[in-house]
């Protein structure tokens, strides 16, 4: 089909505002998926997405729709996106593949922090944005206010905002027509290279039979089975095995061409050969498209396979996951008694949790994970500056001039009646308010600066609780700021167990140390003798607990019977205990303790 009959767009919004449900209605209206097959949030095809009820991946789908206005057939390429901040890299990559975005707002919630955040991303991409108020079927819906707020945010007139129910389908047909009318078709790239293939690789996945399948937005030219394609950044080439569209399952086609979104089966097996954001062409000398900015992880931790022999399997799993999740960072390391593992980096705690779950469910790999940590800096007396990714890299106090920690800018959107509570909460999380903006008649935006290590803990849950679900926030890196840090060490029977170490605020170290040893005490199996647990900073014990000795009742099977034998046995037990105690100085921690302390489920 000609370019002018193609529309490419994303659905973006705050989490749970109804993106995937709206996509369902589009699939239904365009007969892309039959009624019998269509189940709620159809595009959420990963098991984990269905179980958690959230979208984790972007999901492209191609729909053919005959407009009621001009009886003309159009190709509508839709990309459904995740709403949670941890997956915003998925959103930004989707936005680069389309010309327009539907910005959805739940009328019972109103505008939320991610509404603004996603809107700003779409604006930066120069996308045409259609504002839509959703869930108008609900009694609690405040349609007029939400419409007003959204119009203001988009700088549009109120009557340009659509109001729909993605659930009942009310007005979704009108919205579908508006997509054709309001969104621009793909533009012609006006230069002499236009006839040559230029496609943006925006996503990919590993297929055990076909190797790597890449998802592309074609900006110019065309590609068909058998063609030789070049990856302009990676400087590799391959012969195309198959091309086609997302229905949303892969459906082969003779060719895919300019303006379209589709897939290419590359036959490439090595995941490291592929880089998301690369440009695909049939001429290796073309200049690549801009691609994507590299994204830096927000927090780091260590992963060790529960089964130490599974290191290579874990490496392969990471490589395959990275094809779908380019924000994942991993690097092999060998730091603890747990064998070989990885330093891994994530965009947030949900991202971490989801990855651990995917490793388990898709690759059958169970993981031991250390505490996630932000990246600290240390300015050393020798004028060098180092990054500290884990407690093991913590420098000797004597070498350090000063420590720095990352501060983030928070944009918190709340109904104004919760101001006092949120103000208190921010103080507890060491945040300083920089600005208050009156967003609408009832909502305010608080701009604040806070240490990231505080925020990643449980700021989100706290904010949700005190605002009854109506508060939300977004995060952006701000700067590094001076801080007072110590390395908190955990000693078990006098011996430091590095894997439980933690970098903490000096003033909070005692409290945090106590928390860790109480948890340890909880999971530590009783031993023949007492085991001291200590939280230590610079050789000073800040907290101590003991695992009490278990008295193994060796006489139990003898009942009342022979007393001499019983005494003998007790003496023998005493002997044994003495020996064990001597040994205990070198004995290691039972492996189940690691499992219980470091397993995430
Ligand atoms: P997403 O996170 O933006 O993709 O949101 P989902 O599509 O997963 O929807 C979140 C929840 O809102 C689900 O329970 C949907 O059934 C519900 N939902 C979505 N749209 C509507 C609507 O128009 N009306 C009502 N009543 N519920 C809706
Ligand atoms: Mg969704």
């Amino acid at each position: 089909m000609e370019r002018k009959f193609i529309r490419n767009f994303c659905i973006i919004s705050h989490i749970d505002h109804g993106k995937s449900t709206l996509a369902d209605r589009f699939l239904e209206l365009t007969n892309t998926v039959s009624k019998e097959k269509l189940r709620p949030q159809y595009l959420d095809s990963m098991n984990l997405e269905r179980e958690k009820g959230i979208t984790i991946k972007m999901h492209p789908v191609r729909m053919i729709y005959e407009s009621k206005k001009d009886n003309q057939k159009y190709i509508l390429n839709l990309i459904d996106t995740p709403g949670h901040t941890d997956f915003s890299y998925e959103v930004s990559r989707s936005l680069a593949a389309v010309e327009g975005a539907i910005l959805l707002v739940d009328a019972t919630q109103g505008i939320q922090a991610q509404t603004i955040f996603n809107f700003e991303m779409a604006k930066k991409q120069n996308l045409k944005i259609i504002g839509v108020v959703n869930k108008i079927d609900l009694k609690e819906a405040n349609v007029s206010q939400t419409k007003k707020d959204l119009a203001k945010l988009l700088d549009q007139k109120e009557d340009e905002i659509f109001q729909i129910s993605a659930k009942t389908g009310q007005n979704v047909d009108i919205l579908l027509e508006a997509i054709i009318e309001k969104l621009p078709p793909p533009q012609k790239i006006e230069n002499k290279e236009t006839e040559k293939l230029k496609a943006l690789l925006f996503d990919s996945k590993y297929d055990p039979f076909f190797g790597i399948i890449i998802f592309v937005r074609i900006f110019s030219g065309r590609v068909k089975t058998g063609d030789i394609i070049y990856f302009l950044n990676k400087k590799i080439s391959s012969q195309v095995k198959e091309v086609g569209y997302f229905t949303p399952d892969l459906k082969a086609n003779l060719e895919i061409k300019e303006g379209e979104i589709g897939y290419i089966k590359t036959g490439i097996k090595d995941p490291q050969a592929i880089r998301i954001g690369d440009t695909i062409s049939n001429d290796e000398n073309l200049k690549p498209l801009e691609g994507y900015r590299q994204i830096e992880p927000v927090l780091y931790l260590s992963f060790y396979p529960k089964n130490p022999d599974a290191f290579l399997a874990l490496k392969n799993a990471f490589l395959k996951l990275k094809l779908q999740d380019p924000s994942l960072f991993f690097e092999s390391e060998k730091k603890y008694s747990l064998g070989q593992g990885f330093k891994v980096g994530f965009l947030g705690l949900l991202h971490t949790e989801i990855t651990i779950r995917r490793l388990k469910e898709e690759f059958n790999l169970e993981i031991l994970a250390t505490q996630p940590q932000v990246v600290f800096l240390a300015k050393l007396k020798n004028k060098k500056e180092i990054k500290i990714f884990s407690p093991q890299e913590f420098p000797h106090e004597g070498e350090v001039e000063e420590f720095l920690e990352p501060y983030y800018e928070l944009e918190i959107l709340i109904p104004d009646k919760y101001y006092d509570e949120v103000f208190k909460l921010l103080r507890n999380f060491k945040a300083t308010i920089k600005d208050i903006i009156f967003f609408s008649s009832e909502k305010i935006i608080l701009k604040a600066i806070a240490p990231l290590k505080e925020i990643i803990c449980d700021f989100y849950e706290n904010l949700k609780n005190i605002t009854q679900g109506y508060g939300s926030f977004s995060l952006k890196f701000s700067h590094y700021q001076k801080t007072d840090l110590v390395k908190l060490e955990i000693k078990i029977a006098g011996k430091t167990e590095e894997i439980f170490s933690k970098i903490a605020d000096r003033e909070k170290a005692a409290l945090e140390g106590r928390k860790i040893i109480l948890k340890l005490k909880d999971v530590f199996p009783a031993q023949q003798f007492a085991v001291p647990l200590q939280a230590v900073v610079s050789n000073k014990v800040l907290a101590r607990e003991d695992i009490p000795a278990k008295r193994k009742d060796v006489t139990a099977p003898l009942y009342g019977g022979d007393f001499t034998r019983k005494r003998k046995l007790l003496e023998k037990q005493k002997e044994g205990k003495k020996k064990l105690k001597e040994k205990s100085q070198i004995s290691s921690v039972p492996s189940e303790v690691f499992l219980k302390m470091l397993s995430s489920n």
Side-chain angles (χ1 to χ4, degrees):
M1 233 179 276
E2 281 177 63
R3 267 188 303 115
K4 64 176 179 184
F5 301 124
I6 300 175
R7 300 291 182 274
N8 300 315
F9 65 100
C10 294
I11 312 180
I12 54 176
S13 84
H14 194 79
I15 194 159
D16 272 350
H17 282 203
K19 295 175 292 294
S20 302
T21 307
L22 176 60
D24 290 345
R25 296 293 81 72
F26 286 151
L27 295 175
E28 202 172 61
L29 275 173
T30 56
N31 294 314
T32 306
V33 177
S34 68
K35 258 224 159 73
E36 306 80 69
K37 265 182 78 183
L38 196 74
R39 47 181 186 172
Q41 288 97 33
Y42 186 83
L43 293 180
D44 287 344
S45 48
M46 282 167 58
N47 286 340
L48 211 53
E49 292 182 311
R50 302 210 68 81
E51 179 200 312
K52 293 207 151 230
I54 59 166
T55 309
I56 295 162
K57 278 297 300 167
M58 63 167 102
H59 296 291
V61 60
R62 178 182 189 257
M63 308 178 289
I64 308 280
Y65 176 68
E66 189 177 314
S67 169
K68 303 273 178 300
K69 290 202 173 131
D70 55 8
N71 295 324
Q72 168 66 46
K73 277 198 175 142
Y74 287 86
I75 295 173
L76 306 177
N77 287 309
L78 155 97
I79 305 180
D80 186 20
T81 65
H84 194 282
T85 33
D86 282 16
F87 308 116
S88 61
Y89 196 48
E90 293 287 316
V91 183
S92 69
R93 275 164 32 231
S94 316
L95 293 173
V98 297
E99 279 76 36
I102 295 183
L103 181 62
L104 214 57
V105 181
D106 178 339
T108 68
Q109 296 277 319
I111 288 181
Q112 301 275 296
Q114 295 313 311
T115 317
I116 302 177
F117 188 82
N118 286 326
F119 161 66
E120 281 169 356
M121 275 206 288
K123 207 166 71 172
K124 257 192 224 140
Q125 281 284 338
N126 287 319
L127 299 190
K128 170 79 189 172
I129 299 164
I130 299 181
V132 179
V133 173
N134 187 30
K135 306 200 188 180
I136 60 169
D137 59 296
L138 290 172
K139 267 203 313 293
E140 319 87 89
N142 189 344
V143 179
S144 61
Q145 183 66 44
T146 310
K147 224 170 146 174
K148 210 159 124 189
D149 293 348
L150 185 54
K152 193 172 146 201
L153 178 70
L154 297 181
D155 196 19
Q156 292 179 3
K157 292 198 201 75
E158 265 180 63
D159 59 14
E160 289 179 84
I161 306 294
F162 291 78
Q163 51 188 72
I164 65 162
S165 166
K167 189 150 194 173
T168 67
Q170 189 185 348
N171 295 343
V172 176
D173 49 345
I174 304 175
L175 178 61
L176 196 56
E177 292 288 342
I179 288 167
I180 292 169
E181 206 175 294
K182 292 184 181 261
L183 298 186
Q187 296 305 299
K188 184 112 191 136
I189 303 178
E190 294 300 346
N191 65 35
K192 59 179 188 308
E193 295 173 343
T194 16
E195 278 326 294
K196 294 199 169 149
L197 172 68
K198 242 187 192 182
L200 173 68
L201 195 176
F202 66 86
D203 204 1
S204 64
K205 72 172 188 188
Y206 190 85
D207 184 289
F209 296 108
F210 303 109
I212 294 162
I213 303 173
I214 56 173
F215 297 10
V216 293
R217 158 67 202 264
I218 302 189
F219 284 92
S220 66
R222 53 188 67 214
V223 56
K224 60 179 192 313
T225 305
D227 284 357
I228 301 291
I229 49 170
Y230 298 91
F231 295 71
L232 298 184
N233 288 308
K234 274 286 193 173
K235 304 212 179 309
I236 55 161
S237 66
S238 84
Q239 189 173 24
V240 174
K241 303 280 175 280
E242 181 184 304
V243 300
Y245 304 115
F246 304 98
T247 66
D249 306 322
L250 306 183
K251 181 152 185 282
N253 199 59
L254 278 177
E255 63 166 14
I256 49 177
K257 63 176 202 297
E258 66 170 354
E260 294 188 324
I261 290 173
Y263 71 86
I264 301 174
K265 288 184 179 167
T266 63
I268 296 171
K269 294 270 178 181
D270 175 14
Q272 292 175 92
I274 300 289
R275 186 160 99 210
I276 308 262
D278 208 342
T279 303
I280 312 301
S281 182
N282 47 9
D283 178 348
E284 60 184 319
N285 297 316
L286 284 198
K287 198 170 143 268
L289 298 160
E290 200 180 320
Y292 300 119
R293 80 196 146 86
Q294 285 289 318
I295 190 152
E296 289 277 320
V298 170
L299 45 89
Y300 289 85
L301 61 158
S302 294
F303 272 13
Y304 287 80
K306 228 180 223 182
N307 168 6
D309 296 334
F311 172 76
L312 277 180
L314 180 55
K315 183 175 175 185
N316 279 323
F318 275 141
L319 287 169
K320 286 175 187 169
L321 276 183
K322 199 171 167 75
L323 282 175
Q324 271 188 36
D325 177 9
S327 65
L328 176 69
F329 168 89
F330 62 96
E331 197 176 83
S332 67
E333 67 167 33
K334 195 172 179 177
K335 275 201 203 134
Y336 310 102
S337 47
L338 298 173
Q340 230 180 342
F342 289 92
K343 166 184 171 186
V344 281
F346 295 102
L347 297 181
L349 289 178
L350 182 65
H351 189 204
T352 314
E353 185 201 325
I354 291 284
T355 305
I356 291 173
R357 290 286 308 272
R358 290 190 71 180
L359 287 169
K360 185 168 177 196
E361 276 153 41
E362 295 169 38
F363 299 93
N364 208 9
L365 287 166
E366 300 217 37
I367 296 298
L368 299 180
T370 60
Q371 284 291 313
Q373 191 207 279
V374 304
V375 184
F376 298 106
L377 300 180
K379 281 192 183 151
L380 304 180
K381 290 191 172 133
N382 65 12
K383 298 296 164 216
K384 275 195 190 136
E385 189 174 276
I386 56 165
K387 283 187 178 173
I388 308 169
F389 293 97
S390 72
Q392 288 65 48
E393 294 159 5
F394 201 77
H396 286 290
E397 256 178 276
E399 299 170 9
V400 179
E401 188 96 20
E402 65 177 16
F403 288 107
L404 302 163
E405 70 172 313
Y407 273 62
Y408 271 59
E409 199 184 299
L410 279 77
E411 210 168 288
I412 307 157
L413 190 67
I414 50 162
D416 54 5
K417 63 179 172 194
Y418 299 114
Y419 176 78
D420 289 342
E421 303 267 336
V422 174
F423 185 81
K424 268 185 239 153
L425 178 72
L426 284 169
R427 216 173 36 198
N428 289 342
F429 280 82
K430 292 204 198 161
T432 0
I433 297 183
K434 293 284 177 204
D435 201 3
I436 301 174
I437 298 163
F438 293 87
F439 181 73
S440 67
S441 61
E442 281 165 6
K443 281 190 172 172
I444 51 175
I445 294 176
L446 301 175
K447 292 201 176 195
I449 302 277
L452 178 65
K453 76 169 178 322
E454 307 290 323
I455 298 302
I456 57 167
C457 282
D458 42 14
F459 181 75
Y460 181 73
E461 286 75 25
N462 275 283
L463 181 71
K464 282 280 163 204
N465 282 340
I466 63 171
T467 60
Q468 280 155 3
Y470 285 101
S472 59
F473 75 103
S474 60
L475 272 178
K476 243 196 322 244
F477 174 75
S478 171
H479 63 280
Y480 268 90
Q481 190 166 315
K482 192 175 166 185
T483 184
D484 191 9
L485 301 172
V486 293
K487 177 172 174 180
L488 176 65
E489 290 181 86
I490 303 298
K491 291 194 173 179
I492 299 177
K495 187 167 164 270
T496 300
E497 277 304 330
E498 270 295 345
I499 201 156
F500 300 132
S501 297
K502 191 176 174 181
I503 298 174
D505 273 336
R506 185 180 297 279
E507 55 181 51
K508 280 196 183 163
L511 203 75
E512 298 211 20
R514 172 153 302 279
K515 249 183 21 204
I516 299 173
I517 56 175
L518 284 177
K519 187 171 172 203
L520 256 176
K521 191 179 175 185
D522 207 37
V523 302
F524 217 99
Q527 303 291 301
Q528 291 290 332
F529 40 83
V531 180
L533 306 174
Q534 296 163 304
V536 178
V537 166
S538 314
N539 295 320
K540 227 176 95 198
V541 178
L542 300 182
R544 171 174 178 149
E545 289 285 329
D546 285 340
I547 312 280
K550 165 177 76 169
R551 196 176 149 204
K552 197 167 149 206
D553 198 353
V554 285
T555 62
L558 299 171
Y559 299 102
D562 180 357
F563 272 94
T564 15
R565 262 188 79 191
K566 202 168 174 181
R567 232 203 17 246
K568 258 190 191 159
L569 264 171
L570 281 172
E571 304 236 298
K572 220 168 137 193
Q573 192 189 32
K574 228 168 155 186
E575 270 289 289
K577 249 188 179 175
K578 220 168 114 196
K579 267 191 205 147
L580 267 173
K581 192 151 191 179
E582 281 156 14
K583 262 202 217 154
S584 84
Q585 305 308 322
I586 47 162
S587 89
S588 61
V589 178
S591 58
E592 64 187 281
V593 173
F594 292 115
L595 296 187
K596 285 182 179 154
M597 287 294 283
L598 307 171
S599 288
S600 44
N601 40 0

